[in-house]
Amino acid sequence: MVGKPRKKPKKLKLTHSYDFTKKDEILNRDTQWLEFNRRVLHEAMDNRTPLLERIRFLGIFTSNLDEFFMKRLSWLTQIAEMDIVRDGTNPKQHLKELKTIIQDLYKKQAECLTNLVPLLQKEGIVIFKWEELSDAQKSFCSDYFRKNIFPVLTPLAVDPGHPFPFISNLSTSLGVTLRHPGQDDNLFSRIKVPKNFPQLIRLNTEDSIHTFHFIRFTDVLMNNLGILFPNMEVLDVMPFRVTRNVDIQWDEEDDTANILELVSEEVRQRKFGEVVRIEFGAHKNDWIIQFLKNELDLTDDIYYEIPGELDYQDLSAISDLAIPHLKYKPWTPLIPQAFADTQTGVFAAIRSGSILVHHPYESFGASVEKFIETAANDPKVLAIKMTLYRTGRESPFIPLLIRAAEMGKQVVCVVELKARFDEERNIYWAQQLENSGVHVVYGIVGLKTHLKTTLVVRQESEGLRSYVHIGTGNYHKVTANLYDDFGFFTCEPTRTEEVVELFHYLTGRSLKKDYQHLLVAPINMREKFLDLIKNETENAKTNKPARIVAKCNSLEDPAIITALYEASKAGVKIDLIVRGFCCLRPGVKGLSDNIRVISVIGRFLEHSRLYYFANGSLNPLEGHFYMGSADWMYRNLNSRVEMCTPLYSAPSREKLWEVLSTLLADERQAWDMQSDGSYIQRKPTDDTKVGTHQLLMDLAKKRAGLGSEKV
């Protein structure tokens, strides 16, 4: 078989997060993830969202759903085959329920685009069907096909001399049925739709030149097939899209000595992952569908009939149009005040007091990039140690680390090769760094390195001083403008000394367990969080002020959920701000009466992880504050190296509390989770009210003396 793995994949392992049988207490992770994507889809349906941004959210929804299929469906199918009961749910029935939910979401996505079409047309933005084109437009498309597309296409026939072609992941294809003139037998040919072309072709004719008129790339292909198959009878054509499993894992005890080789092999084999979904549109052909089933040996349950576009990401030509009044008003992150004085310098600013910055409201380039650039160029800096999980194609950090190494500094980079969907890029960067003299480490066997931190050691007049950056997000300059994240800079020995020890754990064989300030997974983080929750529980039982506010991307760890339930029953007021899926049931009488869960969805992606515990005080600034890289998920607390740091200074605590309070009070972007797992979007009492993201942009401008502007 083509692409058969040469190594034995790792056996399926179940963790505690999948051992629940208490369905009345624990919500299913997969259905909750789909509920999250439903909230994303709502941004496209909401007429308060700018028109072109609504089109972009349709593409984000598709991208999210693609990831769900690539990462989860194969795993869930294995669970079903093993007949393992998860969360009190029959696995086979669970798969059927998921498909029903997904089909409903497909329907709503298609209805949304249908409703947007007349709004786009009012702005002169039209996607034509072939039959709607004028003669001049058809002539333009046919010329475009001959000159630009025809030489690139490779029709692949299937017959005794031509085996069924490999169909790559997330590729769109045309299945074509043909017949020799005068013969009765149907023939099959597959045409891969090349993605290196715009999937919406801009019509450039006299009747379209001053408008935004488009036609789908696939429509042009489908209506010029006679050029590809001269003298053949083209019976029908059906577009379809294939999704494959990417979660190919190898045994941790594999005999491969080099982890780089292991991950490289995994990436190579991923392209041959099993097919987990085939999508086809309204123009379906039963003969082609049956042909695909036979050739790919697939079952009916992986076929999805899509009422709208096969890939809404193909609409990016529309969402990218430069029409300012149809998009969010541009936002330029502001330079943090602490780093605004170019005369003082980065290190002097940090020596004056620890600094907390909030992206994308405050500039990533003027803080994080500046910190590492200064360290790379400063002759007094002796060492730079950094973790890289995701960093982007045009990373500014790789050249800086290389330059520092070439200047003779001790440079260490912990690169996580197994960062999902970034493996190839990380392999490339790791090799570039190694070739330039940087010490590259791939972390600890069996654990992903997910923390985001940089350590700089500098020779100063009084001796060596360490400076540290700890973040909630990746060292990625693109997502730093789109994701809500925090970065913390300090030279306080309480933190920096423990970060030094943490790097010894990552690069050497340090077994340090007694971290006094940092929360490090899988060493002490789980235990510390459980102790903090228990402390609030005991405070409530003795009538002391007790409150927990936690902000994370997802929540499903069973021990954390159980502890939160116990805290709620004791009377602790708990607010959970969870952007993605949450497996805890809020508002259940006698179990979680005191727990409220909200999700905030909007212009920026809520990515930061913040944790607050009242610690017996009514003054929130006297409680415990933590920020870092870890969600309250089993994998983060057990299978990854994570770090959260306490925040001690009043300015940092005030900033975090301000953000948490803004999120909790949001009436524009916030959704309240119900005890059955559904969500209800809040209705503003005043139509002029804006959401968290606009409020925080206004606040950042106000602090910079620039005023504010509502959109």
Side-chain angles (χ1 to χ4, degrees):
M1 179 184 293
V2 176
K4 184 177 181 180
R6 296 193 294 273
K7 297 178 182 294
K8 185 178 179 181
K10 185 171 66 174
K11 291 182 180 179
L12 185 67
K13 293 182 180 179
L14 298 179
T15 66
H16 293 294
S17 55
Y18 306 114
D19 289 343
F20 278 106
T21 56
K22 298 180 180 179
K23 192 175 180 180
D24 58 330
E25 294 185 7
I26 304 297
L27 292 165
N28 182 270
R29 165 179 172 160
D30 306 309
T31 55
Q32 285 308 110
W33 189 95
L34 293 174
E35 279 295 320
F36 154 66
N37 212 25
R38 189 187 300 275
R39 300 193 293 280
V40 172
L41 179 59
H42 187 273
E43 289 298 304
M45 300 165 65
D46 194 329
N47 58 19
R48 296 172 297 179
T49 305
L51 182 57
L52 297 188
E53 306 295 349
R54 295 172 74 176
I55 298 295
R56 192 182 305 282
F57 272 108
L58 288 175
I60 294 171
F61 172 87
T62 291
S63 176
N64 288 348
L65 196 58
D66 287 346
E67 185 172 340
F68 178 78
F69 274 91
M70 290 188 290
K71 293 173 63 174
R72 292 292 294 173
L73 257 292
S74 177
W75 193 93
L76 292 172
T77 301
Q78 291 181 67
I79 291 291
E81 290 172 353
M82 296 166 66
D83 206 26
I84 297 172
V85 174
R86 298 176 59 242
D87 306 339
T89 303
N90 178 285
K92 293 185 176 66
Q93 181 62 32
H94 178 52
L95 284 173
K96 292 180 181 178
E97 291 171 356
L98 291 179
K99 186 165 186 177
T100 299
I101 296 171
I102 291 167
Q103 290 282 192
D104 178 64
L105 290 172
Y106 277 136
K107 181 181 177 181
K108 284 182 168 55
Q109 186 184 29
E111 290 172 349
C112 178
L113 181 58
T114 298
N115 294 333
L116 293 179
V117 166
L119 300 179
L120 292 169
Q121 290 175 342
K122 287 181 181 179
E123 302 291 342
I125 304 169
V126 183
I127 304 176
F128 284 94
K129 296 179 181 178
W130 183 266
E131 56 270 21
E132 297 172 337
L133 298 178
S134 65
D135 290 342
Q137 290 171 330
K138 287 181 179 179
S139 177
F140 167 81
C141 290
S142 295
D143 288 344
Y144 183 92
F145 177 82
R146 286 181 178 276
K147 294 177 181 178
N148 299 291
I149 303 174
F150 179 74
V152 177
L153 299 178
T154 306
L156 296 172
V158 178
D159 56 37
H162 299 84
F164 189 83
F166 174 75
I167 301 177
S168 55
N169 184 37
L170 298 182
S171 63
T172 300
S173 302
L174 300 184
V176 185
T177 54
L178 306 163
R179 186 179 293 167
H180 287 291
Q183 296 187 12
D184 296 330
D185 292 338
N186 284 1
L187 302 173
F188 176 85
S189 184
R190 178 251 182 167
I191 304 169
K192 181 176 181 178
V193 178
K195 287 293 186 180
N196 52 354
F197 285 88
Q199 296 304 295
L200 290 180
I201 299 173
R202 181 86 174 266
L203 296 172
N204 188 19
T205 58
E206 285 189 12
D207 50 358
S208 298
I209 196 165
H210 296 301
T211 58
F212 303 104
H213 288 177
F214 298 91
I215 186 167
R216 293 172 180 84
F217 187 93
T218 51
D219 275 3
V220 174
L221 263 63
M222 292 168 66
N223 287 278
N224 284 275
L225 291 177
I227 303 174
L228 277 172
F229 303 102
N231 301 321
M232 292 289 289
E233 185 180 354
V234 178
L235 301 177
D236 203 359
V237 57
M238 185 188 86
F240 64 94
R241 185 169 179 256
V242 168
T243 308
R244 293 181 178 273
N245 170 40
V246 302
D247 194 26
I248 298 174
Q249 298 175 313
W250 306 110
D251 195 325
E252 296 288 357
E253 298 178 359
D254 192 280
D255 58 3
T256 304
N258 191 326
I259 191 170
L260 183 64
E261 177 187 337
L262 187 73
V263 177
S264 298
E265 177 67 12
E266 178 182 330
V267 171
R268 284 193 293 269
Q269 293 302 322
R270 176 178 293 167
K271 66 176 67 174
F272 304 114
E274 63 181 302
V275 176
V276 293
R277 177 181 59 172
I278 292 185
E279 300 164 285
F280 55 88
H283 189 90
K284 70 174 183 176
N285 180 291
D286 292 335
W287 186 88
I288 293 176
I289 291 173
Q290 189 59 49
F291 187 87
L292 293 173
K293 287 180 181 177
N294 294 339
E295 290 293 331
L296 294 171
D297 191 23
L298 302 174
T299 56
D300 290 341
D301 57 353
I302 71 166
Y303 283 81
Y304 288 80
E305 185 171 350
I306 311 300
E309 306 287 320
L310 281 183
D311 188 350
Y312 286 78
Q313 296 170 95
D314 291 346
L315 301 178
S316 61
I318 290 177
S319 58
D320 289 343
L321 287 171
I323 309 178
H325 72 280
L326 300 181
K327 308 181 87 166
Y328 292 126
K329 291 192 176 182
W331 171 252
T332 301
L334 302 173
I335 298 175
Q337 290 182 344
F339 293 120
D341 188 348
T342 56
Q343 300 298 317
T344 302
V346 171
F347 297 124
I350 298 172
R351 285 197 301 273
S352 297
S354 298
I355 301 167
L356 183 68
V357 295
H358 191 191
H359 314 302
Y361 311 101
E362 295 175 299
S363 171
F364 183 80
S367 56
V368 179
E369 286 185 40
K370 187 176 180 180
F371 173 66
I372 296 174
E373 180 181 16
T374 302
N377 293 323
D378 188 342
K380 293 183 179 180
V381 168
L382 305 181
I384 303 173
K385 301 183 181 183
M386 186 176 188
T387 62
L388 282 182
Y389 190 74
R390 304 185 196 278
T391 189
R393 185 178 291 106
E394 301 296 331
S395 172
F397 300 109
I398 305 301
L400 290 173
L401 295 177
I402 290 173
R403 185 190 312 165
E406 290 173 345
M407 291 174 63
K409 303 180 192 298
Q410 176 86 357
V411 182
V412 177
C413 191
V414 182
V415 180
E416 179 47 71
L417 295 180
K418 293 183 286 185
R420 183 70 68 200
F421 303 120
D422 273 327
E423 295 96 338
E424 288 184 84
R425 188 176 299 153
N426 285 4
I427 289 170
Y428 171 78
W429 287 135
Q431 292 172 332
Q432 293 292 107
L433 290 166
E434 275 193 327
N435 292 340
S436 301
V438 174
H439 299 292
V440 177
V441 179
Y442 303 130
I444 298 169
V445 174
L447 299 174
K448 273 191 178 182
T449 303
H450 188 249
L451 76 164
K452 298 90 170 57
T453 190
T454 299
L455 169 70
V456 172
V457 182
R458 189 169 187 263
Q459 179 68 60
E460 298 182 352
S461 58
E462 61 271 31
L464 293 182
R465 189 193 303 269
S466 294
Y467 297 82
V468 164
H469 169 262
I470 299 170
T472 66
N474 298 305
Y475 290 106
H476 197 303
K477 70 174 186 178
V478 175
T479 59
N481 289 317
L482 302 172
Y483 291 11
D484 153 83
D485 272 306
F486 282 92
F488 178 67
F489 300 85
T490 188
C491 60
E492 297 173 359
T494 55
R495 252 73 61 87
T496 61
E497 290 174 3
E498 293 196 340
V499 171
V500 169
E501 296 272 12
L502 180 55
F503 271 103
H504 291 166
Y505 169 63
L506 290 169
T507 64
R509 296 190 179 276
S510 170
L511 296 177
K512 179 181 174 66
K513 301 288 185 181
D514 57 337
Y515 291 95
Q516 299 300 309
H517 300 273
L518 298 181
L519 277 57
V520 179
I523 298 173
N524 70 338
M525 184 178 287
R526 172 186 292 283
E527 178 185 4
K528 183 62 176 178
F529 273 135
L530 290 174
D531 285 345
L532 288 164
I533 297 171
K534 185 177 179 181
N535 183 58
E536 296 303 311
T537 305
E538 295 302 317
N539 284 341
K541 289 179 178 179
T542 56
N543 296 317
K544 295 179 182 178
R547 190 179 183 191
I548 297 171
V549 182
K551 179 182 184 294
C552 55
N553 293 282
S554 301
L555 193 161
E556 56 88 68
D557 182 76
I560 294 290
I561 290 174
T562 299
L564 291 172
Y565 283 155
E566 292 302 312
S568 173
K569 286 187 278 189
V572 181
K573 298 297 181 183
I574 302 171
D575 284 300
L576 304 174
I577 306 165
V578 186
R579 184 197 81 235
F581 62 82
C582 177
C583 297
L584 175 149
R585 285 186 184 272
V588 176
K589 188 175 181 179
L591 178 70
S592 55
D593 312 64
N594 293 306
I595 302 179
R596 175 175 61 158
V597 179
I598 72 166
S599 174
V600 173
I601 307 291
R603 173 175 184 168
F604 301 129
L605 185 143
E606 290 293 326
H607 190 256
S608 58
R609 291 89 166 185
L610 310 174
Y611 302 97
Y612 163 77
F613 304 88
N615 194 34
S617 175
L618 289 173
N619 182 353
L621 301 187
E622 294 178 356
H624 295 302
F625 286 85
Y626 291 86
M627 56 150 279
S629 61
D631 293 312
W632 274 350
M633 294 180 64
Y634 182 89
R635 71 180 187 188
N636 295 86
L637 301 176
N638 286 69
S639 306
R640 294 185 172 192
V641 182
E642 306 272 12
M643 177 172 61
C644 287
T645 181
L647 283 300
Y648 297 129
S649 70
S652 294
R653 292 177 174 219
E654 287 173 0
K655 197 168 192 175
L656 291 186
W657 187 250
E658 183 177 64
V659 171
L660 292 174
S661 300
T662 301
L663 287 159
L664 291 173
D666 193 311
E667 293 184 15
R668 166 62 182 88
Q669 298 172 230
W671 296 71
D672 288 302
M673 185 180 182
Q674 309 302 297
S675 58
D676 64 356
S678 62
Y679 286 76
I680 297 176
Q681 191 175 42
R682 292 179 179 175
K683 304 289 185 183
T685 55
D686 181 351
D687 290 340
T688 64
K689 286 197 172 185
V690 296
T692 293
H693 299 156
Q694 186 59 49
L695 284 171
L696 292 176
M697 285 188 284
D698 289 344
L699 184 59
K701 284 184 175 182
K702 184 178 179 181
R703 283 174 172 160
L706 301 176
S708 63
E709 181 179 19
K710 294 183 178 180
V711 295

